[in-house]
Amino acid sequence: MNRELVLHDWLVAGIALAAGAVAALLLRALLRWLGRHALRTRWAGDDLIVDALRTLAPGAAVIAGAAVAASTLPLTARLSGFVNQSLTALLIFIATLSAARVVAGLVRSVAQSRTGVAGSATIFVNITRIVVLAMGVLVSLETVGVSIAPLLTALGVGGLAVALALQDTLANLFAGVHILASKTVQPGDYIRLSSGEEGYVVDINWRNTVVRNLSNNLVIIPNGRLARTNMTNYTQPEQQLSISVQVGVGYESDLEHVERVTLDVVDSVMADINGAVPDHEGAVRFHTFADSRIDFTVILGVGEFSDQYRIKHEFIKRLHRRFRAEGISIPAPTRTVALHHGDSAPVAPAPVPHQRGSSMSGAVSGS
């Protein structure tokens, strides 16, 4: 110290610290008031900025008070420089945390607005936050006198070794970035892999893609595998789908009458059932002369993939009830069996219902 501390020094330093604390409290109250008004606006960016300033502004006020208090004390040049560097580095670190919060929030907001779903693509948010924090740490180290050039050199050499050791992790990382950048899969899409996994995409993070299937279980798929496999996206290019239901009627049926009745049932299902497409134009296509019936396909429209099961269920019930009322038969497949007893004449063949057949079945196709 340049001289001995006196009571006046302590009083001035205490007043400076108290002023910084009071300013921090006032700024916090002001920012709380601004936050309530920011919630009323449509733009989400002002909420993020006010939330970040709640940490930055009070912290800057306290640091400023501490800097003024230190300047009033009779410190040596070396000690005074150390204190100023430390306070500056602390201010830069607080500003970095606030900036990382704002930038990550803005990236999340942009991702939500583009995908149109509540879940965000966290891979971009995490990468942005790490980049901003790393820059802030490097600036803080440079401020306190730590040379970052050797550190960057060491990080470059070490990064090469880490990259070789984490090949799978980095492959998943860049595969996730590629998936999101190409927009082939986004949170909220319903996908099915060639290996059988299917469900709604919940999130795509830095290592894997999280899929929630219809039984509400989570399926974790590495991004590298998702990028390499064959996949069907039932949400893109549009969410509405066409589904086909296979039906068969007897050879004695009037096919014109069958077509009219079936289309009436399709129209009623499309108009009454939640998840159907009311303006969908139903279609009936006869296609096969089978062993015991004429098979045809009925095309229905659904709003999204998971609605198909409810639509099929109601359509089959209504069609079966209407066919019975109209006298239209849905024959079961039959098979003729001849029985022989030694050298005696064969027993007269009798038709046997074929239990493995099915009168109605469903399939899905993208619209």
Side-chain angles (χ1 to χ4, degrees):
M1 294 185 181
N2 297 326
R3 58 180 174 81
E4 294 293 333
L5 289 173
V6 297
L7 181 59
H8 179 269
D9 297 330
W10 289 112
L11 288 176
V12 174
I15 292 173
L17 290 174
V22 171
L25 293 176
L26 293 176
L27 288 173
R28 190 171 184 84
L30 176 62
L31 290 171
R32 187 181 296 112
W33 177 79
L34 290 176
R36 290 195 297 267
H37 286 273
L39 291 175
R40 302 175 185 176
T41 62
R42 295 183 179 180
W43 185 47
D46 54 356
D47 300 331
L48 297 172
I49 295 174
V50 172
D51 184 60
L53 289 176
R54 287 181 181 178
T55 302
L56 177 60
V62 172
I63 292 174
V68 173
S71 65
T72 61
L73 297 176
L75 303 177
T76 61
R78 182 177 180 182
L79 183 58
S80 177
F82 175 77
V83 171
N84 290 332
Q85 288 180 350
S86 300
L87 293 177
T88 303
L90 181 59
L91 179 61
I92 293 174
F93 182 73
I94 295 175
T96 300
L97 292 178
S98 301
R101 184 181 304 174
V102 171
V103 175
L106 291 176
V107 171
R108 181 182 291 107
S109 178
V110 171
Q112 290 178 354
S113 65
R114 290 190 176 184
T115 59
V117 295
S120 63
T122 58
I123 182 172
F124 288 145
V125 176
N126 291 335
I127 291 176
T128 303
R129 183 181 291 113
I130 291 174
V131 170
V132 175
L133 290 177
M135 294 175 60
V137 170
L138 293 176
V139 173
S140 299
L141 292 176
E142 186 71 22
T143 302
V144 297
V146 177
S147 178
I148 63 174
L151 179 61
L152 293 176
T153 303
L155 288 176
V157 176
L160 179 60
V162 171
L164 294 175
L166 301 178
Q167 294 184 31
D168 293 339
T169 301
L170 293 177
N172 289 325
L173 172 63
F174 290 111
V177 173
H178 170 72
I179 290 171
L180 288 176
S182 62
K183 296 184 179 181
T184 55
V185 178
Q186 298 181 20
D189 291 353
Y190 192 96
I191 63 173
R192 174 184 292 168
L193 306 185
S194 59
S195 54
E197 295 89 349
E198 63 179 89
Y200 289 97
V201 178
V202 177
D203 189 23
I204 303 176
N205 55 46
W206 65 276
R207 181 176 177 82
N208 50 55
T209 298
V210 182
V211 175
R212 176 175 56 83
N213 57 27
L214 295 180
S215 60
N216 208 31
N217 296 320
L218 296 180
V219 181
I220 311 300
I221 306 172
N223 291 332
R225 179 188 170 196
L226 185 65
R228 292 191 303 268
T229 188
N230 295 331
M231 174 186 60
T232 303
N233 191 332
Y234 289 98
T235 306
Q236 297 186 26
E238 60 182 16
Q239 195 171 20
Q240 293 183 358
L241 301 174
S242 295
I243 62 173
S244 60
V245 179
Q246 306 300 324
V247 190
V249 294
Y251 277 93
E252 72 281 0
S253 302
D254 182 357
L255 298 187
E256 295 291 340
H257 181 56
V258 170
E259 184 175 5
R260 287 194 301 269
V261 170
T262 304
L263 290 177
D264 288 342
V265 175
V266 172
D267 293 339
S268 68
V269 171
M270 293 295 100
D272 300 341
I273 306 303
N274 184 29
V277 182
D279 57 352
H280 172 77
E281 184 178 353
V284 174
R285 298 291 183 265
F286 296 95
H287 57 78
T288 304
F289 288 102
D291 293 338
S292 58
R293 61 184 185 177
I294 298 177
D295 293 333
F296 62 94
T297 300
V298 183
I299 308 298
L300 305 172
V302 297
E304 64 165 320
F305 186 86
S306 60
D307 293 330
Q308 63 170 307
Y309 304 104
R310 181 171 58 253
I311 302 301
K312 284 183 184 179
H313 169 78
E314 192 62 32
F315 171 72
I316 291 176
K317 287 198 308 180
R318 294 191 183 191
L319 186 65
H320 183 261
R321 182 167 60 246
R322 183 70 181 275
F323 275 7
R324 293 183 63 181
E326 298 288 341
I328 300 174
S329 64
I330 306 177
T334 60
R335 176 176 296 171
T336 301
V337 179
L339 301 178
H340 295 268
H341 297 281
D343 297 332
S344 60
V347 180
V352 178
H354 184 29
Q355 298 298 329
R356 295 184 181 179
S358 174
S359 59
M360 292 186 182
S361 61
V364 183
S365 64
S367 61

